[in-house]
Amino acid sequence: MSTIREICKKAREGKDVMASLSTVAKNKALEEVADALVAQTDYILSANKKDADEWKSKGKNEGMLDRLLLTPERIEGMAVGLRQLVSLDDPIGEVLYMKERPNGLRIGEKRVPLGVIGIIYESRPNVTADAFGLCFKTGNAVILKGGSDAINSNKAIVKVIRDVLEANNIAPDVLQLIESTDREVTKEFMKMNEYVDVLIPRGGAGLIKSVVENATIPVIETGTGNCHIFVDESADLDMAINIIFNAKTQRISVCNACESLVVHKAVKDKLLPALKKRLDEKNVELRGDAEAVGVLKDIKTATEEDWGTEYLDYILSIKTVNDIDEAIAHINKYNTGHSECIVTNDYNNAQKFLDKVDAAAVYVNASTRFTDGFEFGLGAEIGISTQKLHARGPMGLKALTTTKFIIYGNGQIRE
Amino acid sequence: MSTIREICKKAREGKDVMASLSTVAKNKALEEVADALVAQTDYILSANKKDADEWKSKGKNEGMLDRLLLTPERIEGMAVGLRQLVSLDDPIGEVLYMKERPNGLRIGEKRVPLGVIGIIYESRPNVTADAFGLCFKTGNAVILKGGSDAINSNKAIVKVIRDVLEANNIAPDVLQLIESTDREVTKEFMKMNEYVDVLIPRGGAGLIKSVVENATIPVIETGTGNCHIFVDESADLDMAINIIFNAKTQRISVCNACESLVVHKAVKDKLLPALKKRLDEKNVELRGDAEAVGVLKDIKTATEEDWGTEYLDYILSIKTVNDIDEAIAHINKYNTGHSECIVTNDYNNAQKFLDKVDAAAVYVNASTRFTDGFEFGLGAEIGISTQKLHARGPMGLKALTTTKFIIYGNGQIRE
């Protein structure tokens, strides 16, 4: 097994290979990887079975086993994801602009790969193919560090991919897998600034926190979503109920699900009972402040902790406010910078909410569930950034690129 | 003195104040700050004298004292910088695009402030006014941590600025100065992710390394420049000599100065003696590989260390190569991702160099000294990024902004 430094160095060498690949060559390899993954289904499943057996023999949580398990359908899903990437425009090489300066220098900015991307993730082996595909399409070398529970599955998937690369005369070192399951090695990896340009953690809050705290390599943080919907005085209440029901219950385990309702006091008596009736269809538990409890009676009282909690469950907190300013202040205090919505028919309040709420995606009159790369028309998604550097909100292929200045002169010197 | 957490919290509150300021209000305050700094010259100079006396009494390096010293001219220079910001377009509020999705959602990206920016710098008090101005123009609250040697100067400058803000009914807490000179406090500051959105270190390699290693807040790294000029076989040698002379000697202490020459072996015999004659005007020391020493005889032999050194001095290393591929490989091995140049008349080699050299700015036939925000037409500059996330190369006002998605709906829910 190579040392982490050797792995990173090899990826760094692969960077130049990737930067020179044409779109045609990248798309051909992606198609063939998709085919090979399906063709090698049995091989991948037998490796995955080792991981599953190990999981069970250690007596680990059966409920969490599902995310580790592969099936023929899931492998087919990986292939579909890769084929979808083929159909997307290659962002590399685009010159964003070129202008001529007074001294005749022609200066432009050109889109280029980031270089070497490190992806640190948990025990979902499908991320292995997905992360490889996104980085490969954007001309980057990639170093993968998946969860140790999935190590056999990841080794098998990476072997299938590297074999296809080799058959395409692409140095397989452009894809590296860290096989060590030692946490200290992962920490060492996070400090390999000499070789790695960017780290992207994909997973739960604990993983992301560990990367942010330990990495010296620049990190693109993907984050949690404590998303609010504010129902303003002028809202169409039927629309509000539809949006809240959708944002809360359409899929509860995702970061763009609604976790907290903020209600203008003028509409609480009319809105809350009708909303509760609708949410009862899905047995959503409500936790309200004193005013909300006053209307709905038999619901729990929300605590300070509730306002800051991403439930990822059939639970919704309810805060009543006197006006939009109080709503915005509450949201800016407790949100995680993900997705926030106002339901209103008031022009000024709609604009105020869009202006003042500090989040990656701010909505008027629509469900927060739309915050993702496909729904926003980006075509693919590596994650949703809740930080403000480089990329904010759903990250498509362009988030995996950078730019460089290119300058055409004819002998200019600086006076 | 406030604790670091209190300081950061106040800045966070100032964030909302800043985000609501109109361009007119920001420009008026900047003009008045410029006037006030000049009007308060005596007050600032007396504080600066305290710092200088302290410096001398500690027996510190006299040569380094200059960067700490203020003069009426330098204070006037600070005012000029702020007035220049007034004349630049305000980047905030621009909607980069807005498109309609098939479901009728109108989704756009809008340019907004980063929020709270932390700037960590050394003992040049003029950075205090400059960094404030750039962050203020872009609608950000700012926390400054200057070198402890300049603490009295910085306190005086910050007081003058905050008084103007107060007179303009802008909460002065939008500008915070960390007065503690305790290094542990600075380290604590670098981990205040809850309140601070971005850290920008401005200074030498040691400062930047310390921030990169200790910060958990996202960092925009500004870096050193080990810049090369490659003279290709087909180069106009007179042009090459002009460009090298300019890039090496026009200002030696800057990150875009040329530190290393790479020469195609076919032109070494003709180029090097003529170049040496020109560089002798400025007593530039040359350190070459065996081939270069073979031509120039009485120059030093370059060591491995030379290839990786940013001299910031009248020294130039010389490497000879057999072809452009060897030149590119050498440059990509030793450069710091700043500015690189080819002098050539060969079309294919020009394109190859632009494509394959991995740096923030890649030139054909022009001096590397042009890499800065003013020369690139950005109007102002917070530094030159040598990392690949968020901003690469000279960073103008836009580097101090982020975007948010704004979404106009009319009741859309996700199926």
Side-chain angles (χ1 to χ4, degrees):
Chain A
M1 201 150 54
S2 307
T3 68
I4 186 69
R5 181 169 295 275
E6 285 162 2
I7 290 172
C8 293
K9 215 173 155 184
K10 278 188 212 159
R12 185 94 200 154
E13 285 159 14
K15 187 190 75 161
D16 293 336
V17 173
M18 288 307 304
S20 302
L21 282 185
S22 69
T23 306
V24 170
K26 290 188 287 189
N27 284 345
K28 175 171 178 288
L30 284 171
E31 289 273 17
E32 292 182 16
V33 168
D35 294 345
L37 287 171
V38 175
Q40 301 281 331
T41 294
D42 290 346
Y43 169 65
I44 295 168
L45 289 182
S46 78
N48 185 246
K49 185 168 181 305
K50 274 194 227 166
D51 288 330
D53 290 347
E54 184 87 356
W55 180 278
K56 288 176 204 155
S57 76
K58 285 184 179 160
K60 291 194 174 183
N61 182 335
E62 288 273 336
M64 300 289 277
L65 178 58
D66 179 66
R67 63 179 194 171
L68 173 60
L69 286 184
L70 289 176
T71 61
E73 292 69 34
R74 286 184 180 182
I75 292 172
E76 180 60 40
M78 285 154 55
V80 168
L82 293 173
R83 288 192 195 109
Q84 197 171 29
L85 285 173
V86 171
S87 69
L88 294 178
D89 278 347
D90 185 345
I92 298 303
E94 181 193 1
V95 174
L96 307 181
Y97 64 85
M98 178 149 293
K99 63 190 172 189
E100 190 166 316
R101 298 290 302 154
N103 61 4
L105 280 181
R106 288 169 194 176
I107 300 183
E109 268 189 88
K110 183 177 171 178
R111 197 175 289 288
V112 296
L114 282 166
V116 178
I117 300 178
I119 313 252
I120 301 181
Y121 53 106
E122 293 170 336
S123 297
R124 295 182 197 273
N126 61 314
V127 174
T128 305
D130 184 44
F132 158 75
L134 288 158
C135 294
F136 188 82
K137 176 81 186 199
T138 46
N140 294 289
V142 61
I143 303 171
L144 301 176
K145 172 68 187 85
S148 47
D149 296 318
I151 186 64
N152 292 298
S153 313
N154 290 338
K155 278 160 80 169
I157 294 166
V158 165
K159 186 182 177 335
V160 171
I161 299 173
R162 286 178 56 118
D163 285 350
V164 172
L165 295 179
E166 197 140 32
N168 276 271
N169 289 316
I170 299 167
D173 278 346
V174 303
L175 168 60
Q176 297 290 327
L177 176 70
I178 298 174
E179 298 186 9
S180 166
T181 54
D182 181 346
R183 277 168 185 264
E184 288 309 309
V185 170
T186 307
K187 283 191 186 166
E188 207 187 327
F189 174 45
M190 297 183 202
K191 298 184 196 298
M192 288 281 153
N193 297 53
E194 197 182 335
Y195 305 109
V196 185
D197 295 291
V198 184
L199 276 187
I200 304 178
R202 288 181 69 175
L207 172 75
I208 290 162
K209 187 159 177 279
S210 163
V211 174
V212 168
E213 284 177 0
N214 289 296
T216 53
I217 299 169
V219 173
I220 301 181
E221 195 177 334
T222 58
T224 52
N226 184 21
C227 306
H228 299 75
I229 293 172
F230 168 51
V231 180
D232 194 18
E233 190 174 7
S234 65
D236 173 330
L237 297 187
D238 289 336
M239 181 194 286
I241 289 169
N242 266 332
I243 288 174
I244 298 162
F245 182 79
N246 182 260
K248 179 68 256 179
T249 71
Q250 197 252 352
R251 200 168 160 206
I252 57 161
S253 63
V254 290
C255 56
N256 58 19
C258 176
E259 305 291 4
S260 189
L261 172 65
V262 181
V263 188
H264 193 291
K265 65 172 182 190
V267 295
K268 69 178 163 60
D269 290 326
K270 203 164 165 202
L271 174 76
L272 293 179
L275 175 68
K276 181 171 189 308
K277 199 173 157 201
R278 183 78 187 277
L279 291 173
D280 278 347
E281 291 172 22
K282 297 273 188 179
N283 294 314
V284 176
E285 178 188 333
L286 302 177
R287 300 181 187 175
D289 62 3
E291 299 259 358
V293 173
V295 178
L296 294 175
K297 311 295 179 198
D298 58 345
I299 66 166
K300 272 194 194 169
T301 299
T303 64
E304 173 66 22
E305 200 193 335
D306 280 298
W307 307 133
T309 298
E310 184 189 24
Y311 298 118
L312 301 175
D313 202 350
Y314 289 100
I315 307 173
L316 182 73
S317 68
I318 305 176
K319 164 86 182 168
T320 52
V321 293
N322 290 307
D323 55 32
I324 185 172
D325 293 321
E326 197 185 337
I328 291 171
H330 177 83
I331 290 170
N332 280 343
K333 183 168 178 189
Y334 292 103
N335 88 44
T336 55
H338 199 294
S339 301
E340 305 297 332
C341 168
I342 183 174
V343 184
T344 191
N345 281 322
D346 184 287
Y347 172 82
N348 290 306
N349 285 359
Q351 295 298 347
K352 190 179 209 176
F353 194 86
L354 287 172
D355 281 352
K356 303 219 172 216
V357 169
D358 190 13
V362 189
Y363 292 81
V364 180
N365 295 345
S367 169
T368 55
R369 286 281 293 115
F370 287 107
T371 305
D372 84 27
F374 297 95
E375 293 295 335
F376 278 16
L378 306 179
E381 183 191 288
I382 183 88
I384 295 173
S385 163
T386 53
Q387 67 170 37
K388 294 182 178 176
L389 278 194
H390 189 69
R392 195 177 192 202
M395 296 188 288
L397 293 178
K398 282 183 186 172
L400 298 178
T401 70
T402 183
T403 55
K404 71 176 169 193
F405 284 97
I406 55 176
I407 303 107
Y408 294 95
N410 48 11
Q412 283 85 351
I413 58 170
R414 187 151 172 194
E415 305 299 338
Chain B
M1 199 149 56
S2 308
T3 68
I4 186 69
R5 181 170 294 274
E6 285 162 3
I7 289 172
C8 292
K9 214 173 157 184
K10 278 188 210 159
R12 186 94 198 155
E13 285 159 14
K15 188 189 74 160
D16 293 336
V17 173
M18 287 307 304
S20 302
L21 281 185
S22 69
T23 305
V24 170
K26 290 188 285 191
N27 284 344
K28 175 170 177 288
L30 283 171
E31 288 272 18
E32 291 181 18
V33 168
D35 294 345
L37 288 171
V38 174
Q40 301 282 331
T41 293
D42 290 347
Y43 169 65
I44 294 168
L45 289 182
S46 77
N48 186 245
K49 187 169 180 307
K50 273 194 229 168
D51 289 330
D53 290 347
E54 184 88 356
W55 181 277
K56 289 176 203 155
S57 76
K58 286 183 180 161
K60 290 195 175 183
N61 182 336
E62 288 274 335
M64 299 288 278
L65 178 58
D66 178 66
R67 64 180 194 171
L68 173 59
L69 286 183
L70 290 176
T71 61
E73 292 70 34
R74 286 184 177 180
I75 292 173
E76 180 60 40
M78 286 154 54
V80 168
L82 293 172
R83 289 193 194 107
Q84 199 171 27
L85 286 173
V86 172
S87 69
L88 294 179
D89 278 348
D90 185 346
I92 298 303
E94 181 192 1
V95 175
L96 307 182
Y97 64 85
M98 179 151 291
K99 63 189 172 190
E100 190 165 317
R101 298 289 303 153
N103 60 4
L105 279 182
R106 287 169 194 177
I107 301 184
E109 269 189 87
K110 183 176 170 179
R111 198 175 288 288
V112 297
L114 282 167
V116 178
I117 299 177
I119 314 254
I120 301 182
Y121 53 108
E122 293 170 336
S123 296
R124 295 181 197 272
N126 61 313
V127 174
T128 306
D130 183 43
F132 158 76
L134 288 159
C135 294
F136 188 82
K137 176 82 187 198
T138 46
N140 294 289
V142 59
I143 304 172
L144 301 176
K145 172 70 187 81
S148 47
D149 296 316
I151 185 65
N152 291 297
S153 313
N154 289 339
K155 278 160 80 169
I157 293 166
V158 165
K159 185 183 178 334
V160 170
I161 298 173
R162 288 177 55 118
D163 285 350
V164 172
L165 295 179
E166 195 138 36
N168 277 271
N169 289 317
I170 300 167
D173 279 345
V174 302
L175 169 60
Q176 298 289 328
L177 176 70
I178 298 175
E179 298 186 8
S180 166
T181 55
D182 181 346
R183 276 167 186 266
E184 288 309 309
V185 170
T186 306
K187 283 192 187 164
E188 206 185 331
F189 173 45
M190 297 183 202
K191 298 183 195 298
M192 288 281 154
N193 298 52
E194 194 181 339
Y195 304 111
V196 184
D197 294 290
V198 184
L199 275 187
I200 304 178
R202 289 181 67 175
L207 171 75
I208 291 163
K209 188 159 177 279
S210 164
V211 173
V212 167
E213 284 177 0
N214 289 296
T216 52
I217 299 169
V219 172
I220 301 181
E221 194 176 335
T222 58
T224 52
N226 183 22
C227 306
H228 300 73
I229 293 173
F230 168 52
V231 181
D232 193 17
E233 190 173 6
S234 65
D236 173 330
L237 297 187
D238 289 336
M239 181 195 284
I241 290 169
N242 265 332
I243 288 174
I244 297 162
F245 182 80
N246 182 261
K248 179 67 255 179
T249 71
Q250 198 251 353
R251 203 169 158 205
I252 57 162
S253 62
V254 290
C255 56
N256 57 20
C258 175
E259 305 291 4
S260 189
L261 172 65
V262 182
V263 188
H264 193 291
K265 65 174 181 187
V267 296
K268 70 179 164 57
D269 291 325
K270 203 166 165 202
L271 174 76
L272 292 180
L275 175 68
K276 182 170 189 309
K277 200 174 156 198
R278 184 80 186 278
L279 290 173
D280 279 347
E281 290 173 24
K282 298 273 187 181
N283 295 314
V284 176
E285 179 190 330
L286 302 177
R287 299 182 186 173
D289 62 3
E291 299 258 359
V293 173
V295 178
L296 294 174
K297 312 295 181 198
D298 57 343
I299 65 166
K300 273 194 196 169
T301 300
T303 63
E304 173 66 22
E305 199 192 337
D306 280 296
W307 307 133
T309 299
E310 184 189 24
Y311 299 117
L312 301 174
D313 202 348
Y314 289 102
I315 307 172
L316 182 73
S317 68
I318 304 175
K319 166 84 182 168
T320 51
V321 293
N322 289 307
D323 54 33
I324 186 172
D325 293 321
E326 196 184 339
I328 291 171
H330 177 82
I331 290 169
N332 279 344
K333 182 167 179 190
Y334 293 103
N335 89 40
T336 55
H338 199 292
S339 300
E340 305 297 332
C341 168
I342 183 174
V343 185
T344 192
N345 280 321
D346 184 288
Y347 172 81
N348 290 306
N349 285 357
Q351 295 298 347
K352 189 178 211 178
F353 195 87
L354 287 172
D355 281 353
K356 303 222 170 211
V357 169
D358 189 13
V362 189
Y363 291 81
V364 179
N365 296 345
S367 170
T368 55
R369 285 282 293 113
F370 287 108
T371 306
D372 84 27
F374 297 95
E375 293 294 335
F376 277 16
L378 307 179
E381 183 192 287
I382 186 88
I384 295 173
S385 164
T386 53
Q387 68 170 37
K388 293 181 177 175
L389 278 195
H390 188 69
R392 195 178 192 200
M395 297 187 287
L397 293 178
K398 283 183 186 172
L400 298 178
T401 68
T402 183
T403 55
K404 72 175 168 193
F405 284 96
I406 55 176
I407 302 106
Y408 295 95
N410 49 9
Q412 282 85 350
I413 58 171
R414 188 152 171 191
E415 303 303 336

